[in-house]
Amino acid sequence: MCWKSDYVSEETERHEVRRLEYEQVEKPPQACSFIQIRLVAGCNRILYTLEGLSAAWVPRDPLPECGQSSGRDPRDMNHTKGGLVIFTANSHPSNRELGKRIAERLGVELGKVQVYQEANRETRVQIQESVRGKDVFVIQTVSKDVNTTIMEMLILVYACRTSCARSITGVLPYFPYSKQCKMRKRGSIVSKLIASMVCKAGLTHLITMDLHQKEIQGFFNIPVDNLRASPFLLQYIQEEIPDYRNAVIVAKSPASAKRAQSFAERLRLGIAVIHGEAQDAESDQVDGRHSPPTVKTTGAIHPSMEIPLLIPKEKPPITVVGDVGGRIAIIVDDIIDDVDSFVAAAETLKERGAYKIFVMATHGLLSSDAPRFIEESAIDEVVVTNTIPHELQKLQCPKIKTVDISMILSEAIRRIHNGESMSYLFRNIGVDD
């Protein structure tokens, strides 16, 4: 191999550039054809220009926008090419359905992972592919065994963290323990505990949907995207309820009046509120922090000064604020779990003249005997999204209908992976929505 050089002295001019040009006479196979090295006088900076070498890093191909064709077969979009890996952390096969739908929309395959319970009921996770330097998305839907669900997610997230994943985003359409977000008696704010656990395990981002209280986002020290399912439910009302213009949006308690108002304003419909129902365990539960019992003492407080006691609440008889006679009543809420309050509200609306009753909710927990109670009630249809799997409940009660929300979750994953703005998914969403 022969080299020739051309040297210009630095002394001839203060800012003169010395150039050493090397030309390669013999070119070995798969070697560079030309190398040029420039040394700038007075600096230690060296610029290397290599031609003929294959690039070590290739920019990832962005996934197509929603509604647009990518122009290629989705089967060719292997997730390892773009550094995107999607895992489902559920050990039960029925809980993986949402993850499969999301992966199918993104044109990728689910990541290979084993999540199972050992004989001693310990959760074990085995990741079966490399996640080093990749964007990992862990999709977790809540099963009946909510505590096992949480442990499966925590262990999988920690396994991805110790495997040097670049980022770990949790996709929890329903955030567990979200109803325990306030202090009750001598309990605890469990939502804060769960938030601290998932952050400590290694999550760098969280995607969820319709948190029970939006303030739960403040429990996290990582970015949280609280998506909304209301566009899908509104679309269902417009397309599946033929005479929806004759409907009225109903809040089964004053606490859910804001959500009902949001639906009513978007559909240009009236609103009704049921007031005076039985004591709500969420809003009117006695705080209970009374001990030690109040006794009259002297010395610390002046005898003429007494702390006034709060007058206990007394609910009025059940009343419906708004006209529902001869109308379709659509009850809206974020969670439907214990259906007793929904059944009672449906009976009240039926007595007031409503001829058809729908129930709309984002999260259909439908615990215990909820399907049987719905089937025997005056409710005509219950519409929930697939944030929580409820195939068994649908077999028990044909009144339960499902709305698929995998589209918005897959779009959120695509935008986060490609570094795009999420504002598109929050269009026309106000502070009270």
Side-chain angles (χ1 to χ4, degrees):
M1 183 178 297
C2 298
W3 303 87
K4 69 177 182 178
S5 64
D6 182 14
Y7 175 76
V8 179
S9 175
E10 181 182 1
E11 297 177 355
T12 59
E13 188 174 355
R14 183 177 181 181
H15 298 291
E16 185 69 22
V17 178
R18 295 180 300 171
R19 289 181 293 176
L20 298 176
E21 297 182 357
Y22 300 95
E23 293 183 0
Q24 184 177 358
V25 178
E26 298 179 1
K27 293 194 287 186
Q30 298 179 354
C32 59
S33 60
F34 177 74
I35 300 178
Q36 183 182 15
I37 304 177
R38 295 176 180 174
L39 302 179
V40 181
C43 302
N44 294 325
R45 185 177 60 189
I46 300 176
L47 175 64
Y48 297 90
T49 303
L50 305 179
E51 295 182 359
L53 291 177
S54 60
W57 175 81
V58 179
R60 58 190 175 203
D61 228 352
L63 295 172
E65 295 283 348
C66 277
Q68 297 182 357
S69 174
S70 63
R72 59 179 176 177
D73 192 344
R75 291 174 295 182
D76 296 334
M77 299 175 62
N78 190 286
H79 61 272
T80 57
K81 293 182 180 179
L84 170 65
V85 181
I86 298 179
F87 288 133
T88 58
N90 291 110
S91 58
H92 200 281
S94 64
N95 297 332
R96 301 175 191 160
E97 183 62 30
L98 181 60
K100 293 178 181 178
R101 288 175 178 266
I102 293 174
E104 183 179 355
R105 288 185 178 276
L106 290 173
V108 301
E109 297 178 358
L110 286 177
K112 299 177 182 179
V113 60
Q114 281 189 347
V115 183
Y116 58 94
Q117 307 294 321
E118 293 186 339
N120 59 359
R121 302 301 298 166
E122 288 185 356
T123 300
R124 184 172 290 276
V125 172
Q126 294 288 342
I127 300 176
Q128 298 178 326
E129 64 179 89
S130 175
V131 297
R132 181 180 294 273
K134 297 181 180 179
D135 295 331
V136 177
F137 292 83
V138 178
I139 302 173
Q140 181 71 322
T141 53
V142 177
S143 62
K144 286 187 176 181
D145 191 353
V146 62
N147 296 326
T148 299
T149 299
I150 294 173
M151 285 305 301
E152 290 173 347
M153 181 193 65
L154 292 175
I155 296 175
L156 180 54
V157 168
Y158 188 70
C160 294
R161 176 185 175 185
T162 55
S163 299
C164 301
R166 180 171 66 178
S167 66
I168 308 171
T169 302
V171 183
L172 281 77
Y174 171 70
F175 188 72
Y177 287 94
S178 60
K179 297 183 76 173
Q180 298 189 42
C181 58
K182 298 179 181 179
M183 178 65 73
R184 296 297 182 194
K185 293 188 177 180
R186 295 180 183 85
S188 61
I189 305 177
V190 185
S191 294
K192 169 62 176 174
L193 173 63
I194 302 299
S196 301
M197 291 169 63
V198 296
C199 293
K200 190 68 175 178
L203 276 190
T204 59
H205 202 129
L206 177 67
I207 301 174
T208 186
M209 180 166 286
D210 282 336
L211 288 170
H212 188 57
Q213 297 289 339
K214 294 186 291 294
E215 292 76 12
I216 294 177
Q217 297 175 77
F219 295 160
F220 296 85
N221 55 12
I222 59 174
V224 177
D225 288 313
N226 182 28
L227 304 177
R228 306 295 196 275
S230 53
F232 298 91
L233 298 177
L234 291 169
Q235 184 180 14
Y236 184 92
I237 293 174
Q238 293 173 325
E239 296 181 358
E240 300 298 329
I241 302 179
D243 195 20
Y244 82 94
R245 289 294 180 186
N246 188 35
V248 58
I249 305 299
V250 179
K252 68 179 181 65
S253 67
S256 57
K258 284 187 177 180
R259 180 180 295 271
Q261 181 182 358
S262 175
F263 273 70
E265 290 176 351
R266 282 168 167 76
L267 294 171
R268 278 60 171 175
L269 300 177
I271 184 174
V273 180
I274 300 177
H275 181 55
E277 72 275 16
Q279 177 174 319
D280 187 359
E282 177 101 15
S283 60
D284 295 327
Q285 191 176 41
V286 178
D287 190 88
R289 290 176 286 187
H290 300 313
S291 59
T294 56
V295 293
K296 291 185 178 181
T297 60
T298 59
I301 303 178
H302 193 274
S304 62
M305 296 177 59
E306 291 187 2
I307 300 176
L309 298 178
L310 191 63
I311 301 173
K313 292 182 179 180
E314 183 177 348
K315 293 240 177 182
I318 294 179
T319 56
V320 179
V321 182
D323 183 22
V324 297
R327 317 272 297 270
I328 299 174
I330 303 176
I331 305 173
V332 296
D333 211 337
D334 62 329
I335 299 174
I336 176 169
D337 186 6
D338 185 4
V339 299
D340 291 343
S341 58
F342 291 93
V343 171
E347 293 176 354
T348 301
L349 295 171
K350 208 74 172 178
E351 294 174 357
R352 299 302 193 277
Y355 73 91
K356 207 166 186 180
I357 299 171
F358 290 81
V359 175
M360 298 275 179
T362 302
H363 309 295
L365 298 179
L366 302 172
S367 303
S368 188
D369 294 329
R372 179 173 62 85
F373 291 149
I374 294 173
E375 185 67 25
E376 298 173 354
S377 69
I379 300 174
D380 293 283
E381 193 169 287
V382 174
V383 182
V384 294
T385 69
N386 58 344
T387 57
I388 298 174
H390 47 261
E391 297 301 323
L392 180 60
Q393 289 87 336
K394 290 176 67 175
L395 294 176
Q396 298 173 353
C397 178
K399 292 182 179 180
I400 302 174
K401 307 297 180 183
T402 305
V403 175
D404 182 26
I405 46 84
S406 61
M407 179 185 297
I408 191 171
L409 293 176
S410 60
E411 178 66 8
I413 292 174
R414 188 193 69 81
R415 288 177 175 272
I416 292 174
H417 175 59
N418 292 333
E420 300 178 16
S421 173
M422 295 285 288
S423 60
Y424 178 83
L425 304 180
F426 294 93
R427 294 176 303 169
N428 303 323
I429 294 179
V431 177
D432 296 331
D433 291 334

